[in-house]
Amino acid sequence: MKTLEHIDFNNKKALIRVDFNVPLDADFNVTDTSRIDAAKPTILKVLEDGGAAVLMSHLGRPKGKVNPDMSLGHIVDTVSDIIGVQVKFVSDCIGQEVQEAVSGLQMGEVLLLENLRYHEEETTGDESFAKALSENGDIYVNDAFGTAHRAHASTTVVAQFFPNQKCFGYLLAKEIESIAKVMETGEKPVTAILGGAKVSSKITIIENILDKVDHLVVGGGMTYTFVKAKGGSVGDSICEDDKMELALTILKQAEEKGVQVHLPVDVLAADDFSNDANTQIVAVDQIQDGWQGLDAGPQTLENFKSVILQSKTILWNGPVGVFEMENFAKGTIALGHFIDEATQNGAFSLVGGGDSVAAVKQFGFLD
Ligand code: AMP
């Protein structure tokens, strides 16, 4: 893996894809600077080497049109404060004005380009747009972890125009090291906990981890596709009938590979998808019509706890209940406590996915 450490940026202009897709309030103030803070070490490395940084990012979903509400101009002062350098700004990401701004950029300076997604060519991964972007720097650095999986012009496609002069930023490198600690060098037992709404959105993860894990803990909405496939009654719970075959295949593959699968045994069922619904604890495979499972039940949590506390490596993706509603957040909070305890006992734990990270922040498990 080629990282920043392998490159000397002295006298070079680094074109850095950052993820500055930050939340703004009604007055366009940045309300959470985490993503800017996360990119800071990469930007500082370039400057400390004696180089200049050209930053490119998207903000929101302007869908190929100029939209002043989604201008990166709103965040210039915040980025300047965080980096400690007055950031320059140019009102496009390609074109003559940009070329002039880039060629006038002095070493030690930082230039922020306007929202990439003002051009629809960004998300379609257009080659000539990517080539135009590539002219904004001598070396390409990708540090936009949140968008690195997309074949967009500023990520995958632009990299082609830097055959050798490219690398990962610190943030991306750290994420890759972390996932390798689970997928390649994880101390056994390795446990993956998969929750969230649907089997269909997690299927590629499941297929990829079956060769790597000892335990697969399944929770959340995807539970019911497995339970119904095995012949249980799931009432009105979220269920993908067209994925039941797939669920059975996963269970069979897991068995062949010696992976122990832990499904919920009981759930907190509700008579409505609402925080104020009536609730009862029922067996996972005996949910009546008119009821839906919205959180893990107490016996399930006990079972999950014992698996998690004996694990040395833990990967968590997806809440085990509808944690956005207070009355159905208890399972996800409990799971956070178990992972916390295992981590304090020496396990390595990695949490991924927007909802899971939101839950980790919301319930105070970030440290
Ligand atoms: P994902 O993005 O696939 O990780 O799914 C996260 C979403 O799954 C969250 O919004 C949760 O509210 C939802 N979820 C978790 N458990 C359930 C459930 N039992 N029924 C419906 N939605 C659920």
Side-chain angles (χ1 to χ4, degrees), residues 194-199 201-202 219-224 236-239 267-268 273 292-296 317-325 328 332 352-356:
L194 292 183
K198 293 176 172 176
V199 179
S201 65
K202 302 282 158 92
M222 77 162 100
T223 303
Y224 307 100
D236 296 350
S237 306
I238 186 173
C239 183
V267 295
L268 181 63
F273 190 81
Q292 51 189 302
L294 295 185
D295 200 3
N317 176 284
V320 294
V322 186
F323 76 101
E324 297 92 335
M325 294 191 240
F328 305 105
T332 300
D355 285 303
S356 312

Side-chain angles (χ1 to χ4, degrees), residues 8-14 43-54 105-110 138-139:
D8 182 0
F9 289 89
N10 187 26
N11 249 330
K12 302 280 189 205
K13 289 174 184 165
I43 300 167
L44 289 188
K45 148 78 178 162
V46 170
L47 300 182
E48 281 161 10
D49 272 5
V54 179
L105 197 67
Q106 303 297 307
M107 294 306 138
E109 291 187 329
V110 178
D138 307 312
I139 301 169

Side-chain angles (χ1 to χ4, degrees), residues 4 58 61 67 100 114 123 126-127 132 142 150 153 205 226 238 262 281 292 300 320 351 361 363:
L4 291 171
H58 71 286
R61 293 191 170 161
N67 180 340
E100 283 165 14
E114 183 55 288
T123 47
D126 184 84
E127 276 209 19
N142 190 345
R150 300 189 191 279
I205 307 181
F226 284 90
I238 186 173
H262 307 270
I281 304 288
Q292 51 189 302
T300 298
V320 294
V351 183
K361 278 188 184 165
F363 303 128

